[in-house]
Amino acid sequence: MPCSLREDHSKYGSSRKYTTKNMSPEHTTEYWNEKAQDILKQKLVQVQSPTTNNAKNIIMFLGDGMSVHTITATRNFMGDSAKQVSFEKFPYFGLSKTYCVDSKVADSACSATAYLGGVKGNYGTIGVNANVPRFDCMAGLNVGNWVESIAQWAQNAGMDTGLVTTSRVTHASPAGVYAHTAERGWENDAQILNSNCSSKVNIDIARQLVEWPVGRKLKVIMGGGRSNFRNVTVNDEDGTAGQRYDGRDLIEYWIQDKRSQNVKANYVWNRKGLNSLNLNNTDYLLGLFSSSHCPFHGDLKRHNISTLVPSLSEMTESALKVLSKKNNGFFLFVEGARIDMAHHETKARKSLEDTEEFAKAVDLARKMFSEEDTLIIVTSDHSHTMTISGYPYRDEDITGLAADQADDGLPYTILSYANGPGFDNTYDKKGRKRITPEETIDPNFQYLATVPLASETHGGDDVGVFASGPFAHYFSGTYEQSNIPAMMAKAANIGTFRSAAGYIK
């Protein structure tokens, strides 16, 4: 190592005291050589025999805001840097470029259009191409600007479809499955009116979900967001008033619509209701488990509400049981939405808890279905500004303080953000604040941030794509986020990119 680099870190050599309590295999050269040999064997098998059967089923897992840094930190949160979250064991990995047509840094709306519809649009718009500016009351009505989603392709091919999310089911990411709108915030009619647009001409996202073709055909819809389905004069099951102005009860509409089709449909609003269902006797399932977003995963136990709200993995398992009853195959979209929302609040511990639960849901799905006929894709819509720094010891808690103090004599956290509300924990009028280890144990602790913002921003870096199953090898390399649905469609031989369409042989 050049002397100049060694000198840069000389203070760590003098202040850090590292002792090995027990010798482990990692201290030997043989351990690392054998580990490399195992990886080489795995890669050789993958290259020689990639699965090229048509995918009967496609499961797309979307960790909202799940940056590469988030995955790395989750490994450490689970116990050690050498660990792997479930989907890191998938045989193929790539990177997708997440920018929007009009923005270097994506939001969850334009990115949903890309990874579900194969077309990049403008920031804040869903299911429409870049001819639609955000908030434009008229451009989004032009069907020629609409983008079909892979859920629509799957339905056209006779496959069953569904979505699961820990956000409102009308939020930006799940809305990419079924909606077309110039503004992601138009989740109910009141929000359209607040934008000075007509709620009669512009159909809100909740109505699109229950009234328009793609949404109506979804066999499973689970997440939060009851308030967007009921009028302001109506309280939901836990006493929260609705947000609609038009007098509609869209939950009741969904129920009556399914009765008119003479299908076996169930609406549930809590975990008890979900667990009481006979899923083998359920054709359609609507589960709305919160007035707004579902709780952070760690809060389910901390707030004693795990008996009321199902976890992401529980919702995923129920959805897969409903969708897999028939032999026609299915497409399921699963979003771990609260990973992103915790990052926005610079509550890193909560984000890692939700990422760990997200990985559990992926592992559950992979074990339920064969790699021979089920393609599973795990990716993110965008990154965040959280970083890992400070030369921490291997056995240090990733959510704690760095091993050494900074040049101002004060400690700092291993995890930190480029911006966000954590700024208030970082500085006061006298300068940088002193952070204690006890503070970082609190799940609501807001990690240090450089720039003061009420909400931390997304990051613009590429995000990971992990693939397992038929045609998973397609997902290697670096590519546009909008390529993802094309590759999924090719694997299942559906939609615009099926072989019969003349594009790919």
Side-chain angles (χ1 to χ4, degrees):
M1 180 182 293
C3 290
S4 59
L5 292 180
R6 187 178 296 276
E7 289 168 359
D8 285 344
H9 303 305
S10 60
K11 66 176 181 179
Y12 296 100
S14 60
S15 64
R16 292 160 65 91
K17 296 179 180 179
Y18 180 79
T19 58
T20 303
K21 295 179 182 178
N22 298 297
M23 290 294 289
S24 73
E26 288 188 5
H27 290 83
T28 68
T29 301
E30 290 77 14
Y31 171 83
W32 298 105
N33 286 342
E34 289 174 7
K35 193 169 187 177
Q37 287 283 12
D38 289 340
I39 293 296
L40 288 172
K41 290 177 183 178
Q42 293 175 28
K43 295 297 181 185
L44 183 61
V45 171
Q46 292 162 12
V47 170
Q48 290 179 340
S49 57
T51 304
T52 55
N53 307 320
N54 282 347
K56 175 184 176 183
N57 312 309
I58 302 174
I59 310 171
M60 183 177 191
F61 283 91
L62 193 282
D64 199 312
M66 189 180 67
S67 61
V68 172
H69 283 124
T70 303
I71 297 169
T72 303
T74 300
R75 280 188 225 131
N76 288 270
F77 183 71
M78 291 167 57
D80 186 70
S81 299
K83 284 185 174 291
Q84 287 183 303
V85 298
S86 62
F87 49 85
E88 287 184 293
K89 300 173 186 177
F90 284 8
Y92 296 98
F93 171 77
L95 290 170
S96 80
K97 297 183 280 188
T98 62
Y99 65 91
C100 311
V101 169
D102 63 344
S103 177
K104 284 185 174 65
V105 178
D107 77 322
S108 294
C110 72
S111 55
T113 308
Y115 63 72
L116 288 167
V119 175
K120 293 208 172 193
N122 293 323
Y123 189 98
T125 65
I126 303 172
V128 292
N129 62 29
N131 288 321
V132 180
R134 188 177 187 181
F135 296 111
D136 191 305
C137 301
M138 302 307 296
L141 303 177
N142 184 346
V143 178
N145 292 329
W146 290 6
V147 173
E148 293 182 353
S149 75
I150 188 170
Q152 184 172 350
W153 300 342
Q155 290 173 357
N156 291 342
M159 300 168 68
D160 287 338
T161 55
L163 69 85
V164 170
T165 180
T166 50
S167 71
R168 297 186 294 268
V169 296
T170 51
H171 207 235
S173 300
V177 172
Y178 59 86
H180 309 279
T181 181
E183 168 48 33
R184 59 176 289 174
W186 291 347
E187 297 182 54
N188 58 61
D189 65 312
Q191 293 167 331
I192 296 177
L193 295 172
N194 290 339
S195 297
N196 296 317
C197 292
S198 168
S199 61
K200 294 182 180 179
V201 175
N202 293 273
I203 306 302
D204 61 81
I205 296 172
R207 281 187 62 192
Q208 291 188 38
L209 177 55
V210 301
E211 295 177 4
W212 286 14
V214 177
R216 285 186 69 200
K217 291 178 183 178
L218 293 173
K219 293 293 185 72
V220 176
I221 302 166
M222 281 195 284
R226 288 192 298 262
S227 293
N228 287 319
F229 292 81
R230 289 185 170 135
N231 202 62
V232 292
T233 58
V234 177
N235 291 344
D236 70 5
E237 290 83 353
D238 65 7
T240 303
Q243 296 186 11
R244 303 194 65 83
Y245 284 177
D246 58 9
R248 286 180 168 87
D249 185 330
L250 297 180
I251 296 174
E252 184 61 26
Y253 178 93
W254 183 89
I255 294 170
Q256 294 302 326
D257 179 57
K258 299 302 176 277
R259 285 178 181 172
S260 70
Q261 298 176 46
N262 197 31
V263 294
K264 298 171 183 177
N266 290 290
Y267 163 67
V268 293
W269 65 275
N270 59 19
R271 183 171 180 260
K272 180 180 179 181
L274 179 63
N275 290 340
S276 68
L277 291 179
N278 180 355
L279 298 177
N280 290 324
N281 197 35
T282 299
D283 297 322
Y284 286 81
L285 172 58
L286 173 62
L288 299 177
F289 303 108
S290 177
S291 299
S292 184
H293 302 305
C294 294
F296 291 108
H297 179 72
D299 287 346
L300 292 177
K301 289 186 177 179
R302 281 191 290 265
H303 296 169
N304 296 316
I305 54 176
S306 58
T307 57
L308 296 176
V309 182
S311 67
L312 179 65
S313 56
E314 288 173 325
M315 287 192 284
T316 300
E317 183 175 14
S318 296
L320 290 170
K321 287 179 178 179
V322 172
L323 292 173
S324 60
K325 292 198 309 293
K326 297 181 180 179
N327 199 41
N328 53 331
F330 64 84
F331 169 80
L332 176 65
F333 174 77
V334 181
E335 182 197 22
R338 298 294 258 162
I339 299 168
D340 166 82
M341 297 177 196
H343 276 322
H344 280 305
E345 297 179 18
T346 61
K347 295 179 180 178
R349 182 183 290 271
K350 287 191 172 184
S351 185
L352 303 187
E353 290 173 341
D354 270 78
T355 307
E356 185 176 15
E357 169 63 14
F358 175 80
K360 180 181 177 182
V362 175
D363 188 48
L364 178 151
R366 184 67 286 171
K367 290 175 179 176
M368 285 180 68
F369 296 92
S370 170
E371 290 186 50
E372 292 300 311
D373 67 1
T374 301
L375 173 65
I376 297 182
I377 301 299
V378 181
T379 188
S380 179
D381 46 358
H382 52 72
S383 70
H384 272 273
T385 71
M386 188 192 77
T387 59
I388 306 168
S389 63
Y391 305 106
Y393 294 132
R394 172 79 172 271
D395 58 358
E396 281 189 274
D397 182 352
I398 192 72
T399 61
L401 301 178
D404 294 275
Q405 295 182 342
D407 289 347
D408 58 6
L410 295 174
Y412 61 101
T413 53
I414 297 168
L415 303 177
S416 61
Y417 292 84
N419 55 55
F423 179 88
D424 292 336
N425 284 335
T426 312
Y427 299 101
D428 58 21
K429 294 180 179 179
K430 297 179 181 179
R432 211 160 65 82
K433 291 182 177 179
R434 180 176 293 276
I435 303 297
T436 67
E438 292 74 21
E439 288 178 280
T440 64
I441 295 173
D442 183 352
N444 287 309
F445 175 74
Q446 294 182 302
Y447 280 73
L448 307 188
T450 307
V451 176
L453 285 176
S455 177
E456 178 263 357
T457 71
H458 297 164
D461 32 315
D462 298 347
V463 296
V465 185
F466 304 82
S468 171
F471 289 91
H473 56 289
Y474 276 21
F475 293 86
S476 300
T478 301
Y479 38 81
E480 298 288 357
Q481 192 171 52
S482 53
N483 294 158
I484 292 174
M487 293 188 286
M488 290 192 293
K490 168 58 182 173
N493 199 30
I494 61 174
T496 305
F497 296 92
R498 67 190 186 280
S499 298
Y503 282 90
I504 305 172
K505 301 296 185 183

